[in-house]
Amino acid sequence: MAEKEISQAVISRLPRYLRYLGELKDEGVERISSQELSGLMNVTASQIRQDFNNFGGFGQQGYGYNVEYLYTEIGKILGLDKKHHLIIVGAGNLGQAIANYMNFERRGFIFTGMFDINPELFGKKIRGMEVRPMEEMADFVKQNNVDIAVLTIPKGEAVLVAAKLSDVGIKAIWNFAHVDLAVPKEVQVENVHLSDSLMRLSYMIERYESEVANKE
Amino acid sequence: MAEKEISQAVISRLPRYLRYLGELKDEGVERISSQELSGLMNVTASQIRQDFNNFGGFGQQGYGYNVEYLYTEIGKILGLDKKHHLIIVGAGNLGQAIANYMNFERRGFIFTGMFDINPELFGKKIRGMEVRPMEEMADFVKQNNVDIAVLTIPKGEAVLVAAKLSDVGIKAIWNFAHVDLAVPKEVQVENVHLSDSLMRLSYMIERYESEVANKE
DNA sequence: TAGATTGTTAATCGATTAACAATC
DNA sequence: TAGATTGTTAATCGATTAACAATC
């Protein structure tokens, strides 16, 4: 089947739809129209219908969308019905926080291992998972069919580690290092550049204040 | 001066420009053309020139852009030349990691206080800053001219805390809670929804694998 | 002056919104 | 059947890319 390419903009909205639908589901809501969801989420009903129709019809004329069904289908689109083995590379503050904070199992991600270069951390248990030496990472990925590596290490190391992970067949890298990774196209990369995000916030403050100043 | 509205797309690219320019600056590069930067960053030269020209001419025909000057100007646009007082609300794993991991001072953000509801954490020092009881937050914000609050608390509390922060005049919220905050328009919000990001990664894996499967 | 490269206008492309026929 | 609401086409809007005149 010749799939039409789904735009990045649409994909970025899917997790938010999922969140709202999950809440509606928990509240026991059975069906919802694009109009109602529009009011709730502050996006146009038209966009909602266009977005969902990228993946085929999930709704029914005159009725709307079944919340439970829509929730399940969007989950499938996002691959949340699949199990993914995941390791965290870098057991510092951020790595530990991610391990403890993310509800990996809830979304089908199986926390499988944790690695660091610092010998003081070896054997330490983070969320029940002992920290292993970095040298063991490559073999571990191969032997345990690890799909995803979370990179919570400094940017210098990140480039090298990403290359090594690519070599041993990692499928995807969730990159918290402040650097653009160059990996083969078969390795998917999602960046979380926290400082970029904070700068955007700083910009918003700046802009708002200059707007107010100009109005006077 | 009637400022033209700058698009969100442009703003989102500024921190990345800043990062590359910072690196060039550190390497001692004095000038760069849109063409060279294009090769480095993997965006079109045309887009680079359009982006910069939103803010007036930073370059010079026949020469290109002065790296140091451009770096400084983009920093100013992002408001990084201003000092911002910042508190972290929620001293759990994520809050502590953010406190330790982010180089706040480097970008003009002054880490001023940390709050939690858990009495066991009161007085504990995180990056030299003692954790204070949540009840003190509102007065603290007022007395210390706090500009930014980082929300690293569960989503139920986040909504209430955001409302309280808005009441006492916070300028901006860096929101790590998995919920959309409803705050007055004078309060800027930047969301970091980590689980959304991980879902996008999951989607990319899914899509790549189905592409490969379809090719066979 | 000649060459290089910006600033800026025009063309293209893509995403969002509006409208409405199809249909439950 | 009548009313509601989707699925989908068309219109609009905005962002990106191409082209080139201006100018250092």
Side-chain angles (χ1 to χ4, degrees):
Chain A
M1 124 184 99
E3 318 206 356
K4 52 181 174 259
E5 188 67 27
I6 310 296
S7 84
Q8 195 51 52
V10 174
I11 304 309
S12 285
R13 285 192 289 268
L14 292 183
R16 187 153 177 269
Y17 287 130
L18 194 77
R19 177 149 49 88
Y20 276 85
L21 289 166
E23 280 165 17
L24 288 166
K25 193 164 71 88
D26 291 346
E27 288 165 17
V29 177
E30 244 175 53
R31 69 189 185 92
I32 193 158
S33 69
S34 56
Q35 188 64 62
E36 290 170 291
L37 197 55
S38 161
L40 229 51
M41 294 185 64
N42 238 4
V43 296
T44 65
S46 198
Q47 179 164 78
I48 291 174
R49 294 203 299 276
Q50 286 278 22
D51 283 352
F52 293 168
N53 269 82
N54 279 297
F55 309 96
F58 293 150
Q60 200 171 52
Q61 281 103 330
Y63 171 87
Y65 299 88
N66 179 286
V67 171
E68 178 113 37
Y69 176 69
L70 190 54
Y71 178 84
T72 308
E73 289 304 310
I74 293 179
K76 278 190 207 164
I77 292 165
L78 290 169
L80 304 179
D81 55 333
K82 308 276 172 63
K83 298 274 177 235
H84 293 293
H85 290 263
L86 171 153
I87 59 169
I88 296 178
V89 184
N93 279 297
L94 192 59
Q96 294 190 25
I98 300 277
N100 285 302
Y101 171 86
M102 292 296 297
N103 232 318
F104 287 127
E105 277 70 17
R106 207 184 138 218
R107 297 290 188 202
F109 302 96
I110 304 163
F111 181 31
T112 310
M114 193 149 194
F115 298 87
D116 205 289
I117 44 167
N118 183 357
E120 283 177 27
L121 292 170
F122 298 165
K124 183 177 174 183
K125 293 223 169 178
I126 315 288
R127 219 191 199 207
M129 191 67 64
E130 62 166 337
V131 178
R132 293 184 165 82
M134 198 71 101
E135 294 85 54
E136 298 177 9
M137 183 189 72
D139 284 340
F140 187 93
V141 167
K142 282 191 265 185
Q143 280 155 27
N144 295 274
N145 296 308
V146 177
D147 305 292
I148 300 174
V150 184
L151 287 200
T152 47
I153 53 181
K155 59 180 174 178
E157 298 166 42
V159 174
L160 297 168
V161 171
K164 180 166 285 179
L165 286 164
S166 301
D167 285 346
V168 293
I170 201 88
K171 283 181 187 168
I173 295 175
W174 199 24
N175 177 39
F176 285 77
H178 203 214
V179 65
D180 296 322
L181 302 176
V183 294
K185 68 170 195 325
E186 63 265 25
V187 179
Q188 313 305 313
V189 177
E190 165 83 9
N191 292 308
V192 181
H193 291 330
L194 292 177
S195 55
D196 287 17
S197 174
L198 187 56
M199 288 184 208
R200 281 194 288 275
L201 189 65
S202 173
Y203 172 82
M204 286 188 261
I205 297 174
E206 183 75 10
R207 184 197 49 189
Y208 181 78
E209 297 196 330
S210 83
E211 259 174 33
V212 171
N214 281 331
K215 227 171 253 169
E216 278 160 16
Chain B
M1 125 182 99
E3 318 206 357
K4 51 183 174 254
E5 189 66 27
I6 309 296
S7 83
Q8 195 51 52
V10 174
I11 304 309
S12 285
R13 285 192 290 267
L14 291 183
R16 187 152 177 269
Y17 287 129
L18 194 77
R19 178 149 48 88
Y20 276 85
L21 290 166
E23 281 165 17
L24 288 165
K25 192 164 73 88
D26 291 346
E27 288 165 17
V29 177
E30 243 175 54
R31 69 189 187 93
I32 193 156
S33 69
S34 57
Q35 187 64 62
E36 291 170 290
L37 196 56
S38 161
L40 229 52
M41 294 185 64
N42 238 3
V43 295
T44 64
S46 198
Q47 180 164 77
I48 292 175
R49 294 203 297 278
Q50 286 278 23
D51 282 353
F52 293 169
N53 268 81
N54 278 298
F55 309 96
F58 294 149
Q60 199 170 51
Q61 281 103 331
Y63 171 87
Y65 298 89
N66 178 287
V67 171
E68 177 113 36
Y69 175 69
L70 190 53
Y71 177 85
T72 308
E73 289 304 311
I74 292 179
K76 278 189 207 164
I77 293 165
L78 290 169
L80 304 179
D81 54 334
K82 308 276 172 64
K83 299 274 177 235
H84 293 293
H85 290 262
L86 173 153
I87 59 169
I88 296 178
V89 184
N93 279 297
L94 192 59
Q96 293 190 25
I98 300 277
N100 285 301
Y101 170 86
M102 292 297 296
N103 231 319
F104 287 127
E105 276 70 18
R106 205 182 142 222
R107 297 291 189 202
F109 302 96
I110 304 163
F111 182 32
T112 310
M114 193 151 194
F115 299 86
D116 205 290
I117 46 166
N118 183 356
E120 283 176 27
L121 292 170
F122 298 165
K124 182 177 176 184
K125 292 224 167 176
I126 316 287
R127 219 193 199 204
M129 191 68 62
E130 63 165 337
V131 178
R132 293 184 166 81
M134 198 70 101
E135 294 85 53
E136 298 178 9
M137 183 188 72
D139 284 341
F140 187 94
V141 166
K142 282 190 265 185
Q143 279 155 28
N144 294 275
N145 296 308
V146 176
D147 305 292
I148 300 173
V150 184
L151 287 200
T152 47
I153 53 182
K155 60 180 172 178
E157 298 165 43
V159 174
L160 296 168
V161 171
K164 181 166 284 181
L165 286 165
S166 301
D167 285 346
V168 293
I170 202 87
K171 283 182 186 167
I173 294 175
W174 199 24
N175 177 39
F176 286 76
H178 203 212
V179 65
D180 296 323
L181 302 175
V183 294
K185 67 171 195 324
E186 62 265 25
V187 179
Q188 314 304 315
V189 176
E190 165 82 9
N191 293 307
V192 181
H193 291 330
L194 292 177
S195 54
D196 288 16
S197 174
L198 187 55
M199 288 185 208
R200 280 194 288 275
L201 189 66
S202 173
Y203 172 82
M204 287 188 262
I205 297 174
E206 183 75 9
R207 185 198 48 189
Y208 181 78
E209 297 196 330
S210 82
E211 260 174 33
V212 171
N214 280 332
K215 226 171 254 170
E216 277 159 16

